[in-house]
Amino acid sequence: SISAGNVTESGVISYVEAHEDINAIILDLKPAAGTLPYKSEVEFAAAYGLNGQTELEPVISALKEKKIYVAAQVSCLVDNGLSSHYSQMILTTEDGSEYSDGIGTWLNPYNSDLRSYVIEICRELASMGVDEIIFANLKVPGADVNTYEFSASTSTPPTAVSAVSGFALDVTRALKSSNVKLSVRCDSEAALVSGEDPATGQNAKLLFKVFDR
């Protein structure tokens, strides 16, 4: 895989030349740091200065010409750049404190602008020719189950599981016609073993139903 900082035309070419036998590659195109490594036309990215410099479409085209399968990794609920400009998106604890840790600043899965931003980024990447989008950080931090204030208007009290599942459903439905494979990093051992993790909000059964893998 190629980290966001190395997603440049020269960086990608160098990687491919150093790994002559590869037939697939993962590009980190929306990292947890928030700044995109490529020039995006998505409104939030442009408005908040989150655009990079790389012209991505020619890079993807060059990879496809070499018969290399291109997957794009997108960080969903951790985004330091976005959170620094749009504090209403930040996930807070019950005492109102903004939640961040070693991974980065976590965002509220119920925020509609956040969902729209992720969907628009994914649609843009699909239009540029990526074969697959890998959703990373599609979870909340695995702290105490009752820690978070989701600021959502729901008929029942929101939980980590309902928050993450709702985000997953909304995004995958919106991207259903995008003609790109959608996959998710389900990295909760509890979810993989028992089917659901109340702490991180990952429900493996639902995630593997709505995502392609």
Side-chain angles (χ1 to χ4, degrees), residues 13 16 21-22 34 66 92 98-99 101 112 114 124 131 151 153-154 168-169 186 188 207:
I13 290 172
V16 171
D21 296 331
I22 65 169
K66 294 179 179 294
T92 59
E98 297 176 351
Y99 197 99
D101 57 18
S112 59
L114 171 61
E124 180 175 66
D131 299 294
S151 304
S153 298
T154 57
L169 285 165
C186 184
S188 163
L207 292 178

Side-chain angles (χ1 to χ4, degrees), residues 7-207:
V7 178
T8 62
E9 186 173 1
S10 60
V12 173
I13 290 172
S14 296
Y15 184 91
V16 171
E17 289 177 346
H19 302 79
E20 294 181 358
D21 296 331
I22 65 169
N23 57 17
I25 196 168
I26 299 173
L27 306 178
D28 191 5
L29 296 179
K30 184 182 176 296
T35 301
L36 307 176
Y38 70 96
K39 291 180 181 178
S40 171
E41 297 297 326
V42 173
E43 184 179 353
F44 271 175
Y48 295 141
L50 300 176
N51 266 330
Q53 298 299 316
T54 300
E55 295 287 353
L56 186 60
E57 198 160 1
V59 174
I60 294 174
S61 295
L63 291 170
K64 302 293 280 287
E65 285 176 9
K66 294 179 179 294
K67 309 298 183 185
I68 295 175
Y69 182 91
V70 182
Q73 180 164 283
V74 169
S75 175
C76 295
L77 300 178
V78 182
D79 191 315
N80 295 345
L82 194 58
S83 65
S84 68
H85 294 282
Y86 198 144
S87 60
Q88 296 96 321
M89 284 190 184
I90 300 176
L91 181 64
T92 59
T93 59
E94 289 184 328
D95 66 3
S97 301
E98 297 176 351
Y99 197 99
S100 62
D101 57 18
I103 299 175
T105 302
W106 292 80
L107 307 180
N108 181 4
Y110 281 107
N111 187 283
S112 59
D113 286 336
L114 171 61
R115 294 186 183 194
S116 295
Y117 179 56
V118 170
I119 290 166
E120 288 172 22
I121 288 289
C122 292
R123 283 177 174 160
E124 180 175 66
L125 295 175
S127 72
M128 290 182 178
V130 303
D131 299 294
E132 180 173 350
I133 297 173
I134 302 169
F135 291 79
N137 296 320
L138 183 47
K139 59 183 180 179
V140 296
D144 179 66
V145 176
N146 300 312
T147 296
Y148 313 113
E149 177 58 56
F150 288 112
S151 304
S153 298
T154 57
S155 57
T156 58
T159 65
V161 172
S162 65
V164 171
S165 297
F167 187 100
L169 285 165
D170 203 15
V171 171
T172 53
R173 283 170 180 162
L175 298 172
K176 190 173 182 180
S177 61
S178 63
N179 197 32
V180 64
K181 186 181 291 292
L182 305 177
S183 60
V184 61
R185 294 197 184 279
C186 184
D187 42 19
S188 163
E189 185 175 350
L192 293 171
V193 172
S194 62
E196 184 176 291
D197 184 354
T200 67
Q202 289 194 325
N203 180 319
K205 185 176 181 180
L206 179 138
L207 292 178

